[in-house]
């Protein structure tokens, strides 16, 4: 369950948001002042922070400023309608997004999902093998900086090979991972897609990265001359 920290001193709003988010399947903890909120945010327990600006002890902008010294935890600010300066300052200080009070719960949920998705995708690695590079978050493959257009299946197949460089993966393994256990169709589908990848990568760029291991399967490795 994803844990959200809500730093909000207006009890009515805090309770409403907590109730709705809990209903949506999030786990919510509340802090009623900035100092407590900052301490909780720094605990590393949370996936996201909802941060009110006007708070006792430490105001929201100060909480954000201090939090950003050590943490890139997604923060969505809850701002008053006319507080344009707060929004600008907050975004400058590293808030991921803001939502203006009063807000609908649907809008808040959408912002939360977006912020969590962004966090997740920025944590995805860049895979590389020699000149070949794969950005999983952007769904992009390049060879020596040149973009290679791949279909979804081709991308998935290449991703598995890139995640296991030098390891021989059987046709069955590749088939299960890319097409699923319940795939019914051509039994040579893996070979067909390997051929597509070879023509788009090895042949086009005059490389030899995709290797056939006779009777076993395929592996991706850079041949050392
Ligand atoms: Ca407040």
């Amino acid at each position: 369950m994803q844990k959200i920290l809500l730093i909000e001193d207006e009890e009515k709003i805090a309770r409403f948001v907590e109730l709705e988010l809990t209903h949506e399947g999030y786990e919510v903890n509340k802090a009623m002042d900035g100092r407590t909120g900052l301490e909780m945010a720094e605990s590393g327990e949370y996936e996201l922070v909802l941060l009110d600006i006007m708070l006792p002890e430490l105001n929201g902008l100060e909480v954000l400023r201090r939090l950003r010294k050590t943490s890139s935890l997604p923060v969505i600010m809850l701002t008053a309608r006319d507080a344009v300066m707060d929004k600008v300052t907050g975004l400058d200080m590293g808030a991921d997004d803001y939502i203006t009070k009063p807000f609908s719960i649907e809008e808040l949920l959408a912002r939360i999902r977006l912020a969590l998705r962004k966090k997740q995708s920025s944590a995805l690695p860049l895979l590389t093998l020699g000149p070949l590079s794969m950005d999983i978050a952007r769904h992009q493959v390049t060879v020596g900086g040149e973009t290679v257009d791949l279909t979804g299946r081709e991308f998935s197949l290449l991703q598995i090979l890139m995640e296991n460089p030098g390891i021989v993966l059987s046709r069955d393994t590749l088939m299960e991972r890319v097409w699923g256990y319940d795939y019914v169709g051509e039994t040579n589908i893996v070979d067909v897609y390997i051929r597509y990848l070879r023509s788009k990568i090895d042949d086009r760029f005059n490389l030899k990265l995709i290797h056939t291991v006779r009777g076993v399967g395929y592996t991706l490795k850079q041949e050392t001359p």
Side-chain angles (χ1 to χ4, degrees):
M1 199 185 290
Q2 288 176 307
K3 276 182 96 171
I4 293 179
L5 174 62
L6 171 62
I7 310 177
E8 166 67 81
D9 62 324
E10 279 158 85
E11 214 157 323
K12 238 176 72 184
I13 296 178
R15 238 190 338 234
F16 163 71
V17 171
E18 180 187 30
L19 202 72
E20 293 289 342
L21 293 186
T22 306
H23 182 73
E24 284 298 314
Y26 297 105
E27 190 179 337
V28 181
N29 288 158
K30 286 181 295 183
M32 305 293 275
D33 68 80
R35 196 170 298 279
T36 312
L38 177 62
E39 264 171 37
M40 289 170 78
E42 284 174 335
S43 71
E45 268 182 67
Y46 299 95
E47 309 279 334
L48 181 136
V49 178
L50 299 174
L51 178 62
D52 183 30
I53 301 290
M54 297 291 286
L55 287 168
E57 303 278 330
L58 280 181
N59 75 45
L61 292 175
E62 189 54 26
V63 171
L64 180 62
R65 195 182 68 78
R66 296 193 191 183
L67 182 65
R68 278 291 172 260
K69 286 183 184 169
T70 58
S71 163
S72 60
L73 188 66
V75 173
I76 299 174
M77 295 188 306
L78 311 176
T79 66
R81 188 174 26 199
D82 45 4
V84 179
M85 269 316 290
D86 285 348
K87 291 170 199 164
V88 174
T89 314
L91 292 174
D92 277 350
M93 279 168 39
D96 296 81
D97 206 348
Y98 64 84
I99 187 164
T100 307
K101 293 179 191 176
F103 48 79
S104 72
I105 201 69
E106 287 75 20
E107 192 185 354
L108 179 63
L109 287 169
R111 301 293 177 98
I112 289 173
R113 280 193 297 267
L114 190 71
L116 289 174
R117 224 176 15 238
K118 221 167 67 183
K119 179 194 178 198
Q120 223 167 40
S121 61
S122 64
L124 289 172
L126 193 70
L127 298 172
T128 58
L129 183 82
L132 177 63
S133 157
M134 171 179 277
D135 185 334
I136 295 170
R138 294 194 176 143
H139 217 267
Q140 208 172 59
V141 172
T142 56
V143 172
E146 261 193 79
T147 304
V148 179
D149 286 320
L150 297 181
T151 64
R153 295 280 197 208
E154 290 166 355
F155 188 93
S156 303
L157 181 58
L158 183 63
Q159 181 179 343
I160 292 163
L161 290 165
M162 288 190 80
E163 283 169 347
N164 301 279
I167 295 168
V168 182
L169 299 167
S170 71
R171 285 179 178 78
D172 284 348
T173 300
L174 293 169
M175 181 123 87
E176 276 168 21
R177 297 273 299 275
V178 179
W179 283 270
Y181 288 96
D182 48 0
Y183 172 78
V184 275
E186 300 297 320
T187 50
N188 67 340
I189 189 85
V190 174
D191 308 288
V192 171
Y193 273 77
I194 286 285
R195 220 155 46 227
Y196 294 156
L197 285 179
R198 275 201 172 119
S199 97
K200 288 183 175 184
I201 295 168
D202 279 353
D203 298 351
R204 177 175 159 203
F205 295 97
N206 200 20
L207 297 165
K208 189 151 179 29
L209 299 176
I210 302 164
H211 299 261
T212 307
V213 180
R214 212 175 287 278
V216 186
Y218 296 100
T219 183
L220 195 74
K221 62 179 179 191
Q222 203 173 10
E223 207 83 302
T224 39

